[in-house]
Amino acid sequence: MTQSYESNGSEGNGHDNTGINSGHLASVQGLPLGMVVEGSVANGVEVRLDPGFSVEQVKVGTFVTIQGSNNRFFGVVTDASLGSSDPRMKYTPLPVDDPFVIQALQGTVAYGTISVLPQLTMPDVMGDEQGPAAAKSIPSHFSRAFTASQKDVETVFGSEENGNFWIGSPLDMETKLCLNLGELVKRSMGVFGKSGTGKTFLTRLLLAGILQSGEASSLIFDMHSEYGWQGQDADKGVSVKGLKQLFGAKVSTFTLDEEHSRRRGLSTDETVQLGFNHIEPEDIELLRETLNLSEVAASAAFNLREKYGEEDWLKEFLAAGRGGSLLELADELQVNAGALRALYNRMGRITRYGFLVEHSRVDISARIIEHLERGQHVVLEFGRYGDDLAAYILVSNLLTRRIHQKYVEAKESAMGGGGKEPRPLVIVIEEAHKFLSPSVASQTIFGIIARELRKYNVTLMVIDQRPSGIDSEVLSQVGTRFSCLLDNERDIEAVLSGTPGSRQLRSVLARLESKQQCLVFGHALPLPVVVRIREYGPKFYETVQGGGDSEAEKKRKVEELFGD
Amino acid sequence: MARRVGEVVESTSTSFVAQCYQLEGAPALGGLVRTDSPDIYGVVGQVTTEPLDSARPVLARGEDADSEEDVIRDNPQLARLLTSRFEVYISGHVEDGVTRQYLPPRPPRVHSFVYLCSPEEVSKFTGRLDLLRLLLNSGAAHADEIVGACIRQAAPAHEQPDEFLMQACKTLAVELSGDVARLNSILRRVSP
Ligand SMILES: Nc1ncnc2c1ncn2[C@@H]1O[C@H](COP(=O)(O)OP(=O)(O)O)[C@@H](O)[C@H]1O
Ligand SMILES: [Mg+2]
């Protein structure tokens, strides 16, 4: 069967092309699949499979090229279906145990079709200067469709040789699928998927790529302490290397919970202490949902700041509460006494965090920026506070606001000719919907960063298992999205919102493997692609170079110091 | 070599009738035959053996005979009172040296000789299969039987009979793509 279809194919090639011999063509063009029989620009084209090609062989999400009469198209299989030329076939008793009859019917009366969404037109000549462009038409009737070859994939997504980062392979191919990290960090990105689908592993891989490429610095709010020194592979019961192990001095680890780090036998570079004076009413606003505070109660914080000033509002408020004068204070501020008491209770809980002191002169955000400016990457481990969402939100919001402020200042002064541009920064947060829910997205720093694009060289990398909880406007600014399996309809819809061809992608997304496979689409890619994510493990560690302690990097540094 | 089996006695644009030189000497159902100058190919359909004079029907004669051969031996005149004819559905012709699988401009003349094609000729002519469409649409009473028989007859003449069979069946499937029930009934007749 396979044999007959291959010979079919080379015959076909002989007809419709330019005299390149078919052996060469196969490696460049992939295997012949079938022929375009109908379609539209809106819905893509239907390809009727050649008799020798079983519909079982073509998976949704695979890449296909279609040779039209004037263009070569590159697209993706969005659906596969069974067709019959005779609607009565399903009622006709057929000798299913006679392989001869069945073979005669297959591909003639009963055939497979695939739906292909043509998305790019390829340069006519391989290796042409001109790259692929968005397809604005569809191939004509009877155009031949082929599986995409390795060369096609490289032409479209870029190759590792040209400095792109290998993240995995496209569906059913061994080809390396690469990402242009420079493009990736230009816009915010999102890693989505339900629990256990491989978000953390993928994020670690992407961060390793970003670190290695030097395209940007990164600041990671590491909720569960899985990025810094090492992470856990719960499934296999082993630990995997974190960024610090791979990149050494390039990575600085900060911790909120020194004891936790010490218990794990790890030394961290800095221990974070924050003062009450660092907390602002905006932070409380953001914590409203998590702390179960009413709107009135949260906004009382603003009144308190008015009264006591930036530095001291929280300290004074707590003192007043302890002194039993909350009622008078409520009266004076003209806020509801119950609301003020609720605020007082919640603040009391927060201020018991071990990393908070009444007053701190150390500006941790400045310390972080120092590291970032040196080209280092910062991982902030939460230790035992990782399980406390309020602590996570409070700290990441508070620090990010300050860091962002400094980036804005640096960028503006650079634009005014004073000093150099700040290095691009990627800020990584988990449980993103807590920061970016519709009710808070407009006020929080993360909402602002997402919306202002990379005006100030800061972008976000959000990791979330419930993307439907993220404000839709913010989500639309997430340029590149990595989505592992999602099974909630609303989450799927949210992740795909604003994406062309989302109807077709929906079925792709709902059929991903349960782990280590993801649909990647958006800004950094010419078209959506299903990727089997590369194994994050010993083989990968070997490929990591440029870490502070790798040989090549050492040599480079020595040359830098003593060269010239 | 092609063997001469009869002579055209009736002729139309789509079919002709040939009379056999030998009683019971008709080619098998579905066999490929040809006339000479011009070369017109056809596939054998209905074969009939009957009295020459329809007013004198054949009577049963073997009641006391021991075997069927005895009946023939004891009644030598019978061979001359009976005749065999066969109907042929035209399925192609040769024009300026090129074989065409569509109807010739004119049917064969009456008294044209009819030859049974050799395996080489069969293999060559059935290298294309447009004739199946002609047969399916011939209007013959048992067109499907003729088609099935034709494919079965032609297969052994090919170097790879199984591949030929599959090829023929796929061609049929395309022709009958809108009528799976009919297709199925022919395929079952051809399935090895
Ligand atoms: N790229 C990968 N390489 C190796 N193992 C992986 C990879 N992706 C996922 N896994 C496996 O899947 C499990 C769950 O992945 P994880 O990233 O912890 O999921 P999530 O963060 O989405 O809950 C891991 O423990 C690991 O065994
Ligand atoms: Mg995780």
Side-chain angles (χ1 to χ4, degrees), chain A residues 364-383:
Chain A
I364 272 294
S365 60
R367 303 279 307 129
I368 291 177
I369 287 184
E370 259 169 54
H371 285 267
L372 296 175
E373 286 290 278
R374 260 185 261 143
Q376 286 173 322
H377 302 258
V378 175
V379 181
L380 174 56
E381 296 190 336
F382 279 71

Side-chain angles (χ1 to χ4, degrees), chain A residues 191-236:
Chain A
V191 175
F192 306 112
K194 50 181 205 160
S195 175
T197 49
K199 296 185 295 300
T200 301
F201 273 66
L202 171 57
T203 304
R204 224 184 262 123
L205 188 70
L206 289 171
L207 287 170
I210 293 172
L211 256 80
Q212 201 174 358
S213 74
E215 293 287 352
S217 291
S218 53
L219 166 60
I220 301 150
F221 290 109
D222 187 0
M223 193 174 207
H224 302 298
S225 309
E226 0 177 54
Y227 298 103
W229 181 253
Q230 67 180 20
Q232 295 301 319
D233 186 332
D235 292 20
K236 303 194 188 79

Side-chain angles (χ1 to χ4, degrees), chain A residues 55-70:
Chain A
V55 69
E56 290 173 27
Q57 289 169 271
V58 192
K59 291 210 184 109
V60 165
T62 40
F63 289 133
V64 165
T65 62
I66 301 177
Q67 182 63 56
S69 33
N70 296 315

Side-chain angles (χ1 to χ4, degrees), chain B residues 1 19 23 32-33 38 59 62 70 81 111 128 142 155 159 165 171 175 183-185 189 191:
Chain B
M1 264 312 293
Q19 184 169 11
L23 188 62
L32 186 68
V33 297
L59 302 173
D70 291 350
L81 298 176
H111 293 301
R128 294 184 56 92
H142 296 287
E159 238 171 71
L165 280 181
T171 308
E175 289 301 335
L183 172 63
N184 179 35
S185 87
R189 286 170 168 76
S191 172

Side-chain angles (χ1 to χ4, degrees), chain A residues 205-518:
Chain A
L205 188 70
L206 289 171
L207 287 170
I210 293 172
L211 256 80
Q212 201 174 358
S213 74
E215 293 287 352
S217 291
S218 53
L219 166 60
I220 301 150
F221 290 109
D222 187 0
M223 193 174 207
H224 302 298
S225 309
E226 0 177 54
Y227 298 103
W229 181 253
Q230 67 180 20
Q232 295 301 319
D233 186 332
D235 292 20
K236 303 194 188 79
V238 294
S239 47
V240 294
K241 289 194 180 185
L243 298 172
K244 181 85 180 171
Q245 274 192 72
L246 290 178
F247 293 96
K250 261 193 172 177
V251 176
S252 311
T253 47
F254 284 53
T255 185
L256 284 178
D257 183 1
E258 204 179 5
E259 199 190 313
H260 177 263
S261 306
R262 217 177 310 119
R263 214 175 329 113
R264 295 202 303 162
L266 306 175
S267 70
T268 42
D269 297 317
E270 305 221 10
T271 302
V272 173
Q273 275 212 330
L274 297 168
F276 293 178
N277 53 319
H278 293 140
I279 298 178
E280 294 181 20
E282 285 83 0
D283 297 320
I284 311 306
E285 185 78 27
L286 183 59
L287 286 170
R288 243 184 44 168
E289 245 168 77
T290 316
L291 294 179
N292 196 16
L293 271 176
S294 71
E295 213 165 307
V296 179
S299 66
F302 291 92
N303 303 32
L304 289 164
R305 178 169 65 183
E306 192 110 315
K307 177 168 164 57
Y308 297 119
E310 292 259 338
E311 284 278 303
D312 295 326
W313 72 271
L314 185 52
K315 195 175 96 189
E316 295 295 334
F317 175 44
L318 293 171
R322 276 194 304 272
S325 50
L326 273 188
L327 268 180
E328 295 92 271
L329 189 57
D331 221 29
E332 189 190 336
L333 297 175
Q334 296 189 341
V335 299
N336 177 295
L340 198 64
R341 172 148 296 280
L343 181 64
Y344 174 76
N345 289 339
R346 305 304 196 287
M347 290 302 102
R349 204 179 104 198
I350 285 198
T351 48
R352 277 196 292 276
Y353 290 141
F355 56 84
L356 272 181
V357 293
E358 208 167 61
H359 193 89
S360 164
R361 255 177 237 300
V362 188
D363 183 354
I364 272 294
S365 60
R367 303 279 307 129
I368 291 177
I369 287 184
E370 259 169 54
H371 285 267
L372 296 175
E373 286 290 278
R374 260 185 261 143
Q376 286 173 322
H377 302 258
V378 175
V379 181
L380 174 56
E381 296 190 336
F382 279 71
R384 79 185 112 116
Y385 302 110
D387 293 328
D388 188 328
L389 202 54
Y392 186 70
I393 293 176
L394 177 70
V395 172
S396 9
N397 194 54
L398 188 155
L399 289 176
T400 302
R401 198 176 50 237
R402 283 152 186 271
I403 289 166
H404 179 254
Q405 183 54 37
K406 298 198 167 106
Y407 263 72
V408 171
E409 283 160 18
K411 175 82 183 196
E412 276 170 354
S413 91
M415 285 195 304
K420 65 178 176 46
E421 289 241 340
R423 207 170 129 81
L425 172 65
V426 178
I427 298 181
V428 183
I429 50 167
E430 306 207 41
E431 300 284 347
H433 65 272
K434 298 286 182 192
F435 302 86
L436 297 168
S437 70
S439 58
V440 299
S442 57
Q443 303 134 34
T444 74
I445 184 61
F446 294 103
I448 292 168
I449 293 176
R451 269 193 303 268
E452 70 193 11
L453 302 172
R454 51 166 192 140
K455 202 158 136 206
Y456 301 109
N457 292 14
V458 182
T459 54
L460 292 182
M461 179 160 174
V462 297
I463 305 165
D464 206 316
Q465 50 178 310
R466 212 167 68 75
S468 62
I470 298 178
D471 179 58
S472 61
E473 200 202 325
V474 169
L475 202 56
S476 72
Q477 305 296 346
V478 174
T480 309
R481 303 179 205 171
F482 299 81
S483 184
C484 302
L485 181 67
L486 283 170
D487 48 15
N488 180 298
E489 275 298 314
R490 292 184 45 229
D491 288 332
I492 293 178
E493 193 159 325
V495 163
L496 294 175
S497 62
T499 306
S502 62
R503 196 171 54 78
Q504 289 92 339
L505 291 177
R506 169 180 293 263
S507 66
V508 175
L509 191 52
R511 278 171 191 73
L512 291 175
E513 307 257 316
S514 64
K515 61 177 48 133
Q516 216 175 333
Q517 205 184 57
C518 94

Side-chain angles (χ1 to χ4, degrees), chain B residues 19-69:
Chain B
Q19 184 169 11
C20 297
Y21 291 126
Q22 306 281 319
L23 188 62
E24 315 276 10
L29 182 73
L32 186 68
V33 297
R34 169 176 59 73
T35 65
D36 247 343
S37 52
D39 287 3
I40 293 176
Y41 287 92
V43 173
V44 175
Q46 184 99 318
V47 178
T48 320
T49 298
E50 57 190 1
L52 276 168
D53 182 352
S54 57
R56 294 176 61 186
V58 182
L59 302 173
R61 291 169 192 268
E63 193 171 14
D64 302 320
D66 289 336
S67 71
E68 290 172 14
E69 282 78 44

Side-chain angles (χ1 to χ4, degrees), chain A residues 51 84-86 88-89 92-95 98-101 103-109, chain B residues 162 165-166 169-171 173-174 176-181 183-184 187-188 190-192:
Chain A
S84 166
S85 59
D86 182 0
R88 291 169 300 175
M89 184 182 78
T92 311
L94 294 169
D98 184 342
F100 179 84
V101 172
Q103 196 189 334
L105 294 178
Q106 249 156 17
T108 52
V109 175
Chain B
D162 289 345
L165 280 181
M166 187 43 71
C169 288
K170 292 257 179 200
T171 308
V174 172
L176 294 177
S177 59
D179 188 351
V180 174
L183 172 63
N184 179 35
L187 293 183
R188 298 228 308 262
V190 177
S191 172

